[in-house]
Amino acid sequence: MKRIYQFLVSTSFMGFLLLVMAFSMAIATFVESSYGTPAAKALVYNTHWFELVFLLLGISLIHNFIKYRQYTLKKLTVGIFHLSFIVIVIGAGITRYISFEGIMHIREGESADHIVSSDSYFTVEANGQEATERVLFSELSPKEFNQKMEIEGQSVRIKSVGFVKDAVRTPVESQSGNPIVDFVISAGQGMESFTFGKGQLVDLGPATVGFEGQADVRFEQEGSQLFIVADRDMEIRSMSGGEPELVRAGTRSEVKLMHLYAFDGYLVLVKKFFEKASMRVSKGSPESSNEDAVVVEISDGERQAVVNVFGRAGQIGDPVTYMVGNTPVKLTYGSKPVNLPFSLKLHDFQLERYIGSESPSSFASEIQLLDPERDVKRDVRIFMNNTLQYRGYRFYQSSYDQDEKGTILSVNKDFWGTMVTYLGYLLLTVGMISSLFNKNAYFQFLVRHLKMSGKAKMAVVLLGLLLAGNQSMAQSSGTAGIPRLDEQLVEDFSHLWVHGRDGRIEPMSTLSSEILRKLARKSTLNGMSSDEVVLSMHLYPELWRSVQFIKIDKEIAASIGLQDKYARVIDLFDMDGNYRITEQVRAAFAKAPALRSKLDKEYIFLDERINISFMVFKGDLLTFFPPANQTDAWWAVGSNPTGYPAADSLFVNRSFNLLADGVKSDSDIQPRQIMATVAAFQEKFGAEILPSEQKKSAEMLYNKYQPFKRVFPWYLLTGFVLLSILFVNIFRQKPMHKITRYSFSGLIFLGFLVHTVGLIVRWYISGRAPWSNGYESMIYVAWAAMLAGVIFGRKYPMVLGTAAILSGITLFVAHLNWMNPEITPLVPVLKSYWLMIHVSIITASYGFLGLSAFLGILVLMLYAIMKKSNQKNVDYFIDQLTTISELSATIGLYMLTIGTFLGGVWANESWGRYWGWDPKETWALITAVIYAFIVHMRLIPSLRGRYNYNLATVIAFSSVLMTYFGVNYFLSGLHSYGKGSADGIHWAVYASIGVITVLAIWSYVNYKKYEEVAE
């Protein structure tokens, strides 16, 4: 028994468990992509063997915590972050087995006191008996239910034997069947098919349609005939034409096949009435079906029958009744209602759209919370990132009904699971960061070993190359036909105050810069500044409609006959003025964010750009005129304002029309005088709320020079060159010259000075500390990293160069987001401070892991060229490079792990769950597990050694590439761009695998020959 226990807690078995976990999760992501999340959960995530892997790892962690005395002060930092994984798993267990989540649907004017569970269940009821099991049906896991019941003195087995996803019901004549009506309903935009038995109905919003029962519009059977009756007037229209026939409310008329019954904008067409029929099930598509089918076998040992039970996770199932002898057996598949101790009433669902577009601007639910038990009755507003929390439940705005009269809220109850998991995240972060500075930890041992190996040191050589690069934007925008504007007039325009959609009063230069970057992904356009572009767009809208400056995805461009990366506004409209992407945009918005493909997202982005263009053309974004009461939103140019004297109201309405006349003609109107009058108007009505002129000048200077955008390539260049010189000196075995060292130090200090001044100016402009949002947090983190480099890099240029590259990468990531700024809340997307921190940390980790892989390749090359004559010298470099690689891999692993779990915090704040086995987050976890295995290979006797370690870092980087690129193109999920976006695997991938394989074999031969004995 002792030997078994020693084996179970051995480092070798722990390494095996880590690999089992990683590979099983990897397989699950592909299963999910092909067969859905239930299949992945049924085969991997929710299985007992997968839980056993976590249990055995937990036992091993506890054993090693005690064995290696990680509870002592010297090793406490390492002990804390190892035990944190146990805390995280316990929190996940609480979430899985105790907590729950679901959906609440409420119509306007109605209340709801229950939610629909996100889990699905299969239930059998007979003779007062009930058997219910939580199930995960999929095409790979159809046998989820198997129960016995005593019915009429016999043992009856009921088990699931098949599953049909996206099932389509087809009625077939059957003497043992029931009456069925086969009909379709259309609202003018496509149609939906229904096959109803008696008692079934569908809620259309304005009316319900069903087969008998209490429906507003219902079919009624009388013998072999079918009648229709409604509580409102209807029209009967013949498919062959002719005058429509009016049928008054309450009139019962015989159904005419292939005739249309029209009411409230809906058309009902009865295809066929079956007196006796049964349903045949076939597989359809997601577009043609909204239900699945479970094939159930019912057997008493002598007789056997097969019954199809329809339903779907997220929907409350309709029971199917099957007679066993004289006993009805009810079978139900779907989600179940969960009653709440309070109710929510929807007063109003609000959906705002932009002018001339179907695109949602924002949506919110005006809710009344009713809890008689606690005498609570209060109004709340739920919208994106503004949740309702009450009695342990959290309500998130999720979606809405297509008629915009109902809301869909996602609901979560997981207080203890979340708190325990968050505690684990905190311990993990504190333990990992502290262990970097603990002199008794392995990381500091590596640092000391590197110091002792020689004076010359090397650090993050490739980090700049991995994540930095220049993006070329040299496309022609065709602005040659646009008249240029007077520079002084543009300067005056840029100095005007504007009231942004976020409520901030800012110089027009700030808004102009954001507009152009949003539309064209550029800061200038063919020599025109952003201020000139925006003013010109408003003054010459008819010309700008024909200018290629709207950034467009190449696939969308090809679909509308374009070949450039930029489109004209008129390219998005046909000859009749119809918007050419209306249906695609509507379809994209109708999908849940997790189900939107890359193309869906690009349609939404393009729609945003077109909307912004029209808002500039019309002047809706040019809100220059403060209201008389100084509290409401500012008036845009061309508005018909209220509250002003008549002359001022006229000026607001006509000022920019006069400006256009002055610019386009030789009239007596002086355009600059109009700009001056607008500025005077702002002072007259907004003097008490306008920022100071000094702040305006500072912000315009900040916009002009963009210090953070300018400093990040400076950091990357100087840091990379400095580390390259250090790397070369390793081979030369010579120290860096003092002049070179001081020169690079001075250049990096200069960049740090610019960075610091930029932070101070931003603080002054905003009037608050510059780390209050995602972008600001990243520029502050970059500054803090550089500050640490300045402090600790005085004697060690490697530290200074590394800090410069890290700061440069952090600023680079920040400006990837900055290059796509949101100037208006065009799409109700999730925005989160946590998300930005998560992205910055996890992206930076890829640089460290990439460096480790590069050093691994370099070590393999050194092994390949090793000879007896150079063995000692090469061995010296291999030792240094391996040590640096271990340092880099450790930092990368820590950042990746912390970043992944910070992503869980973001997901919980945005969606109500901190882990959902989305392919992207799963692959991030897979990568973390793989690198955890690699950094512990030194503890596994059969795997320790420099060759094995470096080869593993090269192979493991494929997991990073899969996480960063592969998930986006080959899998589907919340983070991905849609399965099938990539045209197969590029030949370069196969070539790289071949080259690395040859190198690995070649180096292994030399390793066995010269190095293995020495190790």
Side-chain angles (χ1 to χ4, degrees), residues 88 90-96 412 414 417-419 421-422 425 900-901 903-909 912-916 921:
I88 291 171
I90 291 173
I94 294 172
T95 297
R96 173 175 291 189
N412 171 275
D414 184 29
T418 300
M419 289 300 102
T421 305
Y422 278 15
Y425 293 170
T900 298
F901 290 127
V905 176
W906 159 69
N908 191 55
E909 297 302 314
R913 55 95 177 140
Y914 56 83
W915 196 264
E921 64 189 6

PDB file of all heavy atoms in Angstrom, residues 88 90-96 412 414 417-419 421-422 425 900-901 903-909 912-916 921:
ATOM      1  N   ILE A  88      -8.640  26.857  -5.663  1.00  0.00           N
ATOM      2  CA  ILE A  88      -9.362  27.137  -6.905  1.00  0.00           C
ATOM      3  C   ILE A  88     -10.227  25.943  -7.310  1.00  0.00           C
ATOM      4  O   ILE A  88     -11.387  26.106  -7.712  1.00  0.00           O
ATOM      5  CB  ILE A  88      -8.369  27.501  -8.030  1.00  0.00           C
ATOM      6  CG1 ILE A  88      -7.712  28.851  -7.749  1.00  0.00           C
ATOM      7  CG2 ILE A  88      -9.072  27.535  -9.391  1.00  0.00           C
ATOM      8  CD1 ILE A  88      -6.567  29.183  -8.686  1.00  0.00           C
ATOM      9  N   ILE A  90     -11.445  23.652  -5.313  1.00  0.00           N
ATOM     10  CA  ILE A  90     -12.565  23.558  -4.363  1.00  0.00           C
ATOM     11  C   ILE A  90     -13.667  24.551  -4.757  1.00  0.00           C
ATOM     12  O   ILE A  90     -14.854  24.212  -4.752  1.00  0.00           O
ATOM     13  CB  ILE A  90     -12.071  23.840  -2.927  1.00  0.00           C
ATOM     14  CG1 ILE A  90     -11.168  22.696  -2.444  1.00  0.00           C
ATOM     15  CG2 ILE A  90     -13.258  24.010  -1.977  1.00  0.00           C
ATOM     16  CD1 ILE A  90     -10.503  22.959  -1.116  1.00  0.00           C
ATOM     17  N   GLY A  91     -13.264  25.770  -5.102  1.00  0.00           N
ATOM     18  CA  GLY A  91     -14.249  26.759  -5.557  1.00  0.00           C
ATOM     19  C   GLY A  91     -14.985  26.294  -6.799  1.00  0.00           C
ATOM     20  O   GLY A  91     -16.208  26.463  -6.923  1.00  0.00           O
ATOM     21  N   ALA A  92     -14.234  25.690  -7.738  1.00  0.00           N
ATOM     22  CA  ALA A  92     -14.875  25.163  -8.950  1.00  0.00           C
ATOM     23  C   ALA A  92     -15.849  24.038  -8.615  1.00  0.00           C
ATOM     24  O   ALA A  92     -16.914  23.919  -9.224  1.00  0.00           O
ATOM     25  CB  ALA A  92     -13.809  24.671  -9.925  1.00  0.00           C
ATOM     26  N   GLY A  93     -15.487  23.220  -7.608  1.00  0.00           N
ATOM     27  CA  GLY A  93     -16.390  22.148  -7.190  1.00  0.00           C
ATOM     28  C   GLY A  93     -17.680  22.684  -6.602  1.00  0.00           C
ATOM     29  O   GLY A  93     -18.767  22.161  -6.863  1.00  0.00           O
ATOM     30  N   ILE A  94     -17.572  23.752  -5.799  1.00  0.00           N
ATOM     31  CA  ILE A  94     -18.768  24.387  -5.243  1.00  0.00           C
ATOM     32  C   ILE A  94     -19.662  24.909  -6.368  1.00  0.00           C
ATOM     33  O   ILE A  94     -20.885  24.725  -6.360  1.00  0.00           O
ATOM     34  CB  ILE A  94     -18.383  25.520  -4.289  1.00  0.00           C
ATOM     35  CG1 ILE A  94     -17.657  24.958  -3.057  1.00  0.00           C
ATOM     36  CG2 ILE A  94     -19.616  26.315  -3.852  1.00  0.00           C
ATOM     37  CD1 ILE A  94     -17.079  26.023  -2.156  1.00  0.00           C
ATOM     38  N   THR A  95     -19.028  25.533  -7.356  1.00  0.00           N
ATOM     39  CA  THR A  95     -19.787  26.064  -8.490  1.00  0.00           C
ATOM     40  C   THR A  95     -20.500  24.944  -9.241  1.00  0.00           C
ATOM     41  O   THR A  95     -21.670  25.071  -9.608  1.00  0.00           O
ATOM     42  CB  THR A  95     -18.843  26.823  -9.440  1.00  0.00           C
ATOM     43  OG1 THR A  95     -18.278  27.947  -8.756  1.00  0.00           O
ATOM     44  CG2 THR A  95     -19.590  27.312 -10.677  1.00  0.00           C
ATOM     45  N   ARG A  96     -19.804  23.834  -9.458  1.00  0.00           N
ATOM     46  CA  ARG A  96     -20.385  22.746 -10.250  1.00  0.00           C
ATOM     47  C   ARG A  96     -21.526  22.046  -9.523  1.00  0.00           C
ATOM     48  O   ARG A  96     -22.557  21.738 -10.120  1.00  0.00           O
ATOM     49  CB  ARG A  96     -19.314  21.728 -10.627  1.00  0.00           C
ATOM     50  CG  ARG A  96     -19.884  20.479 -11.309  1.00  0.00           C
ATOM     51  CD  ARG A  96     -18.825  19.534 -11.793  1.00  0.00           C
ATOM     52  NE  ARG A  96     -18.082  20.091 -12.912  1.00  0.00           N
ATOM     53  CZ  ARG A  96     -17.210  19.388 -13.647  1.00  0.00           C
ATOM     54  NH1 ARG A  96     -16.990  18.119 -13.364  1.00  0.00           N
ATOM     55  NH2 ARG A  96     -16.568  19.952 -14.637  1.00  0.00           N
ATOM     56  N   ASN A 412     -27.424  34.122 -12.285  1.00  0.00           N
ATOM     57  CA  ASN A 412     -26.391  33.306 -11.675  1.00  0.00           C
ATOM     58  C   ASN A 412     -26.514  33.358 -10.165  1.00  0.00           C
ATOM     59  O   ASN A 412     -26.774  34.421  -9.603  1.00  0.00           O
ATOM     60  CB  ASN A 412     -25.013  33.809 -12.131  1.00  0.00           C
ATOM     61  CG  ASN A 412     -23.868  33.161 -11.383  1.00  0.00           C
ATOM     62  OD1 ASN A 412     -23.492  33.606 -10.302  1.00  0.00           O
ATOM     63  ND2 ASN A 412     -23.312  32.132 -11.957  1.00  0.00           N
ATOM     64  N   ASP A 414     -24.013  31.997  -7.300  1.00  0.00           N
ATOM     65  CA  ASP A 414     -22.765  31.278  -7.034  1.00  0.00           C
ATOM     66  C   ASP A 414     -21.878  32.104  -6.103  1.00  0.00           C
ATOM     67  O   ASP A 414     -20.704  32.312  -6.383  1.00  0.00           O
ATOM     68  CB  ASP A 414     -22.036  30.983  -8.352  1.00  0.00           C
ATOM     69  CG  ASP A 414     -20.791  30.145  -8.141  1.00  0.00           C
ATOM     70  OD1 ASP A 414     -20.759  29.364  -7.175  1.00  0.00           O
ATOM     71  OD2 ASP A 414     -19.846  30.282  -8.934  1.00  0.00           O
ATOM     72  N   GLY A 417     -19.026  29.772  -4.379  1.00  0.00           N
ATOM     73  CA  GLY A 417     -18.094  29.279  -5.391  1.00  0.00           C
ATOM     74  C   GLY A 417     -17.204  30.382  -5.915  1.00  0.00           C
ATOM     75  O   GLY A 417     -15.989  30.213  -6.080  1.00  0.00           O
ATOM     76  N   THR A 418     -17.802  31.543  -6.162  1.00  0.00           N
ATOM     77  CA  THR A 418     -17.032  32.676  -6.665  1.00  0.00           C
ATOM     78  C   THR A 418     -16.043  33.174  -5.626  1.00  0.00           C
ATOM     79  O   THR A 418     -14.871  33.454  -5.938  1.00  0.00           O
ATOM     80  CB  THR A 418     -17.987  33.819  -7.065  1.00  0.00           C
ATOM     81  OG1 THR A 418     -18.879  33.349  -8.090  1.00  0.00           O
ATOM     82  CG2 THR A 418     -17.211  35.009  -7.598  1.00  0.00           C
ATOM     83  N   MET A 419     -16.490  33.308  -4.380  1.00  0.00           N
ATOM     84  CA  MET A 419     -15.610  33.834  -3.338  1.00  0.00           C
ATOM     85  C   MET A 419     -14.417  32.914  -3.084  1.00  0.00           C
ATOM     86  O   MET A 419     -13.280  33.374  -2.948  1.00  0.00           O
ATOM     87  CB  MET A 419     -16.407  34.031  -2.044  1.00  0.00           C
ATOM     88  CG  MET A 419     -17.398  35.180  -2.079  1.00  0.00           C
ATOM     89  SD  MET A 419     -16.612  36.800  -2.398  1.00  0.00           S
ATOM     90  CE  MET A 419     -16.998  37.019  -4.141  1.00  0.00           C
ATOM     91  N   THR A 421     -13.135  30.711  -5.163  1.00  0.00           N
ATOM     92  CA  THR A 421     -12.270  30.753  -6.346  1.00  0.00           C
ATOM     93  C   THR A 421     -11.458  32.037  -6.385  1.00  0.00           C
ATOM     94  O   THR A 421     -10.257  32.019  -6.694  1.00  0.00           O
ATOM     95  CB  THR A 421     -13.113  30.617  -7.626  1.00  0.00           C
ATOM     96  OG1 THR A 421     -13.901  29.423  -7.544  1.00  0.00           O
ATOM     97  CG2 THR A 421     -12.229  30.539  -8.845  1.00  0.00           C
ATOM     98  N   TYR A 422     -12.093  33.165  -6.097  1.00  0.00           N
ATOM     99  CA  TYR A 422     -11.365  34.439  -6.059  1.00  0.00           C
ATOM    100  C   TYR A 422     -10.263  34.421  -5.006  1.00  0.00           C
ATOM    101  O   TYR A 422      -9.183  34.984  -5.212  1.00  0.00           O
ATOM    102  CB  TYR A 422     -12.331  35.590  -5.776  1.00  0.00           C
ATOM    103  CG  TYR A 422     -13.078  36.099  -7.000  1.00  0.00           C
ATOM    104  CD1 TYR A 422     -13.113  35.362  -8.168  1.00  0.00           C
ATOM    105  CD2 TYR A 422     -13.755  37.312  -6.972  1.00  0.00           C
ATOM    106  CE1 TYR A 422     -13.805  35.815  -9.273  1.00  0.00           C
ATOM    107  CE2 TYR A 422     -14.439  37.786  -8.079  1.00  0.00           C
ATOM    108  CZ  TYR A 422     -14.464  37.030  -9.227  1.00  0.00           C
ATOM    109  OH  TYR A 422     -15.136  37.494 -10.342  1.00  0.00           O
ATOM    110  N   TYR A 425      -7.470  32.690  -6.596  1.00  0.00           N
ATOM    111  CA  TYR A 425      -6.785  33.582  -7.533  1.00  0.00           C
ATOM    112  C   TYR A 425      -5.843  34.532  -6.796  1.00  0.00           C
ATOM    113  O   TYR A 425      -4.719  34.802  -7.240  1.00  0.00           O
ATOM    114  CB  TYR A 425      -7.801  34.401  -8.335  1.00  0.00           C
ATOM    115  CG  TYR A 425      -8.659  33.612  -9.296  1.00  0.00           C
ATOM    116  CD1 TYR A 425      -9.746  34.208  -9.924  1.00  0.00           C
ATOM    117  CD2 TYR A 425      -8.399  32.276  -9.585  1.00  0.00           C
ATOM    118  CE1 TYR A 425     -10.545  33.502 -10.813  1.00  0.00           C
ATOM    119  CE2 TYR A 425      -9.187  31.564 -10.466  1.00  0.00           C
ATOM    120  CZ  TYR A 425     -10.262  32.182 -11.080  1.00  0.00           C
ATOM    121  OH  TYR A 425     -11.050  31.484 -11.960  1.00  0.00           O
ATOM    122  N   THR A 900      -4.688  34.239 -17.237  1.00  0.00           N
ATOM    123  CA  THR A 900      -5.829  33.366 -17.526  1.00  0.00           C
ATOM    124  C   THR A 900      -6.897  33.490 -16.450  1.00  0.00           C
ATOM    125  O   THR A 900      -8.092  33.594 -16.746  1.00  0.00           O
ATOM    126  CB  THR A 900      -5.353  31.907 -17.626  1.00  0.00           C
ATOM    127  OG1 THR A 900      -4.418  31.787 -18.698  1.00  0.00           O
ATOM    128  CG2 THR A 900      -6.520  30.970 -17.876  1.00  0.00           C
ATOM    129  N   PHE A 901      -6.475  33.495 -15.185  1.00  0.00           N
ATOM    130  CA  PHE A 901      -7.461  33.576 -14.108  1.00  0.00           C
ATOM    131  C   PHE A 901      -8.035  34.984 -13.963  1.00  0.00           C
ATOM    132  O   PHE A 901      -9.182  35.144 -13.527  1.00  0.00           O
ATOM    133  CB  PHE A 901      -6.849  33.071 -12.809  1.00  0.00           C
ATOM    134  CG  PHE A 901      -6.611  31.587 -12.809  1.00  0.00           C
ATOM    135  CD1 PHE A 901      -5.374  31.050 -12.505  1.00  0.00           C
ATOM    136  CD2 PHE A 901      -7.624  30.712 -13.151  1.00  0.00           C
ATOM    137  CE1 PHE A 901      -5.156  29.683 -12.528  1.00  0.00           C
ATOM    138  CE2 PHE A 901      -7.424  29.346 -13.182  1.00  0.00           C
ATOM    139  CZ  PHE A 901      -6.191  28.823 -12.871  1.00  0.00           C
ATOM    140  N   GLY A 903      -8.722  36.635 -16.558  1.00  0.00           N
ATOM    141  CA  GLY A 903      -9.770  36.516 -17.567  1.00  0.00           C
ATOM    142  C   GLY A 903     -11.035  35.917 -16.991  1.00  0.00           C
ATOM    143  O   GLY A 903     -12.146  36.265 -17.392  1.00  0.00           O
ATOM    144  N   GLY A 904     -10.875  35.003 -16.025  1.00  0.00           N
ATOM    145  CA  GLY A 904     -12.033  34.447 -15.339  1.00  0.00           C
ATOM    146  C   GLY A 904     -12.784  35.500 -14.542  1.00  0.00           C
ATOM    147  O   GLY A 904     -14.019  35.507 -14.493  1.00  0.00           O
ATOM    148  N   VAL A 905     -12.034  36.417 -13.922  1.00  0.00           N
ATOM    149  CA  VAL A 905     -12.672  37.523 -13.189  1.00  0.00           C
ATOM    150  C   VAL A 905     -13.475  38.380 -14.153  1.00  0.00           C
ATOM    151  O   VAL A 905     -14.628  38.747 -13.887  1.00  0.00           O
ATOM    152  CB  VAL A 905     -11.613  38.375 -12.459  1.00  0.00           C
ATOM    153  CG1 VAL A 905     -12.264  39.576 -11.794  1.00  0.00           C
ATOM    154  CG2 VAL A 905     -10.871  37.540 -11.426  1.00  0.00           C
ATOM    155  N   TRP A 906     -12.876  38.692 -15.308  1.00  0.00           N
ATOM    156  CA  TRP A 906     -13.596  39.486 -16.313  1.00  0.00           C
ATOM    157  C   TRP A 906     -14.867  38.771 -16.768  1.00  0.00           C
ATOM    158  O   TRP A 906     -15.936  39.374 -16.857  1.00  0.00           O
ATOM    159  CB  TRP A 906     -12.697  39.742 -17.521  1.00  0.00           C
ATOM    160  CG  TRP A 906     -13.483  40.073 -18.747  1.00  0.00           C
ATOM    161  CD1 TRP A 906     -14.211  41.192 -18.988  1.00  0.00           C
ATOM    162  CD2 TRP A 906     -13.672  39.240 -19.900  1.00  0.00           C
ATOM    163  NE1 TRP A 906     -14.828  41.113 -20.216  1.00  0.00           N
ATOM    164  CE2 TRP A 906     -14.513  39.933 -20.793  1.00  0.00           C
ATOM    165  CE3 TRP A 906     -13.191  37.979 -20.257  1.00  0.00           C
ATOM    166  CZ2 TRP A 906     -14.881  39.402 -22.027  1.00  0.00           C
ATOM    167  CZ3 TRP A 906     -13.565  37.453 -21.484  1.00  0.00           C
ATOM    168  CH2 TRP A 906     -14.400  38.168 -22.350  1.00  0.00           C
ATOM    169  N   ALA A 907     -14.743  37.471 -17.058  1.00  0.00           N
ATOM    170  CA  ALA A 907     -15.907  36.722 -17.536  1.00  0.00           C
ATOM    171  C   ALA A 907     -17.022  36.716 -16.494  1.00  0.00           C
ATOM    172  O   ALA A 907     -18.198  36.849 -16.833  1.00  0.00           O
ATOM    173  CB  ALA A 907     -15.495  35.285 -17.878  1.00  0.00           C
ATOM    174  N   ASN A 908     -16.645  36.589 -15.226  1.00  0.00           N
ATOM    175  CA  ASN A 908     -17.660  36.562 -14.172  1.00  0.00           C
ATOM    176  C   ASN A 908     -18.355  37.907 -14.040  1.00  0.00           C
ATOM    177  O   ASN A 908     -19.575  37.983 -13.825  1.00  0.00           O
ATOM    178  CB  ASN A 908     -17.028  36.170 -12.838  1.00  0.00           C
ATOM    179  CG  ASN A 908     -18.062  35.878 -11.777  1.00  0.00           C
ATOM    180  OD1 ASN A 908     -18.945  35.056 -11.972  1.00  0.00           O
ATOM    181  ND2 ASN A 908     -17.975  36.560 -10.659  1.00  0.00           N
ATOM    182  N   GLU A 909     -17.590  38.987 -14.168  1.00  0.00           N
ATOM    183  CA  GLU A 909     -18.188  40.312 -14.057  1.00  0.00           C
ATOM    184  C   GLU A 909     -19.069  40.638 -15.258  1.00  0.00           C
ATOM    185  O   GLU A 909     -20.011  41.421 -15.159  1.00  0.00           O
ATOM    186  CB  GLU A 909     -17.088  41.386 -13.922  1.00  0.00           C
ATOM    187  CG  GLU A 909     -16.244  41.254 -12.671  1.00  0.00           C
ATOM    188  CD  GLU A 909     -17.080  41.321 -11.404  1.00  0.00           C
ATOM    189  OE1 GLU A 909     -17.940  42.203 -11.305  1.00  0.00           O
ATOM    190  OE2 GLU A 909     -16.886  40.460 -10.518  1.00  0.00           O
ATOM    191  N   GLY A 912     -21.380  36.418 -15.756  1.00  0.00           N
ATOM    192  CA  GLY A 912     -21.930  35.707 -14.618  1.00  0.00           C
ATOM    193  C   GLY A 912     -21.338  34.332 -14.408  1.00  0.00           C
ATOM    194  O   GLY A 912     -21.845  33.544 -13.625  1.00  0.00           O
ATOM    195  N   ARG A 913     -20.245  34.016 -15.087  1.00  0.00           N
ATOM    196  CA  ARG A 913     -19.552  32.760 -14.826  1.00  0.00           C
ATOM    197  C   ARG A 913     -18.062  32.998 -15.075  1.00  0.00           C
ATOM    198  O   ARG A 913     -17.681  33.671 -16.011  1.00  0.00           O
ATOM    199  CB  ARG A 913     -20.085  31.622 -15.687  1.00  0.00           C
ATOM    200  CG  ARG A 913     -20.076  31.898 -17.200  1.00  0.00           C
ATOM    201  CD  ARG A 913     -18.833  31.352 -17.845  1.00  0.00           C
ATOM    202  NE  ARG A 913     -18.823  31.545 -19.281  1.00  0.00           N
ATOM    203  CZ  ARG A 913     -17.730  31.883 -19.953  1.00  0.00           C
ATOM    204  NH1 ARG A 913     -16.608  32.122 -19.322  1.00  0.00           N
ATOM    205  NH2 ARG A 913     -17.752  32.012 -21.255  1.00  0.00           N
ATOM    206  N   TYR A 914     -17.233  32.441 -14.183  1.00  0.00           N
ATOM    207  CA  TYR A 914     -15.796  32.692 -14.300  1.00  0.00           C
ATOM    208  C   TYR A 914     -15.079  31.634 -15.121  1.00  0.00           C
ATOM    209  O   TYR A 914     -13.905  31.793 -15.443  1.00  0.00           O
ATOM    210  CB  TYR A 914     -15.149  32.820 -12.912  1.00  0.00           C
ATOM    211  CG  TYR A 914     -15.354  31.644 -11.995  1.00  0.00           C
ATOM    212  CD1 TYR A 914     -14.542  30.526 -12.084  1.00  0.00           C
ATOM    213  CD2 TYR A 914     -16.354  31.638 -11.036  1.00  0.00           C
ATOM    214  CE1 TYR A 914     -14.724  29.438 -11.258  1.00  0.00           C
ATOM    215  CE2 TYR A 914     -16.547  30.553 -10.193  1.00  0.00           C
ATOM    216  CZ  TYR A 914     -15.726  29.463 -10.303  1.00  0.00           C
ATOM    217  OH  TYR A 914     -15.903  28.378  -9.486  1.00  0.00           O
ATOM    218  N   TRP A 915     -15.774  30.554 -15.451  1.00  0.00           N
ATOM    219  CA  TRP A 915     -15.159  29.543 -16.314  1.00  0.00           C
ATOM    220  C   TRP A 915     -16.259  28.826 -17.064  1.00  0.00           C
ATOM    221  O   TRP A 915     -17.206  28.332 -16.472  1.00  0.00           O
ATOM    222  CB  TRP A 915     -14.352  28.540 -15.485  1.00  0.00           C
ATOM    223  CG  TRP A 915     -13.411  27.752 -16.337  1.00  0.00           C
ATOM    224  CD1 TRP A 915     -13.626  26.513 -16.864  1.00  0.00           C
ATOM    225  CD2 TRP A 915     -12.124  28.153 -16.795  1.00  0.00           C
ATOM    226  NE1 TRP A 915     -12.546  26.117 -17.624  1.00  0.00           N
ATOM    227  CE2 TRP A 915     -11.599  27.112 -17.589  1.00  0.00           C
ATOM    228  CE3 TRP A 915     -11.348  29.302 -16.617  1.00  0.00           C
ATOM    229  CZ2 TRP A 915     -10.349  27.179 -18.201  1.00  0.00           C
ATOM    230  CZ3 TRP A 915     -10.104  29.370 -17.215  1.00  0.00           C
ATOM    231  CH2 TRP A 915      -9.609  28.326 -17.994  1.00  0.00           C
ATOM    232  N   GLY A 916     -16.122  28.771 -18.386  1.00  0.00           N
ATOM    233  CA  GLY A 916     -17.164  28.142 -19.191  1.00  0.00           C
ATOM    234  C   GLY A 916     -16.634  27.154 -20.212  1.00  0.00           C
ATOM    235  O   GLY A 916     -17.350  26.763 -21.120  1.00  0.00           O
ATOM    236  N   GLU A 921     -10.080  30.057 -23.544  1.00  0.00           N
ATOM    237  CA  GLU A 921      -9.642  29.978 -22.153  1.00  0.00           C
ATOM    238  C   GLU A 921      -9.131  28.577 -21.829  1.00  0.00           C
ATOM    239  O   GLU A 921      -8.195  28.408 -21.039  1.00  0.00           O
ATOM    240  CB  GLU A 921     -10.782  30.369 -21.208  1.00  0.00           C
ATOM    241  CG  GLU A 921     -11.995  29.457 -21.218  1.00  0.00           C
ATOM    242  CD  GLU A 921     -13.167  30.024 -20.428  1.00  0.00           C
ATOM    243  OE1 GLU A 921     -13.076  31.177 -19.973  1.00  0.00           O
ATOM    244  OE2 GLU A 921     -14.182  29.313 -20.273  1.00  0.00           O
TER     245      GLU A 921
END
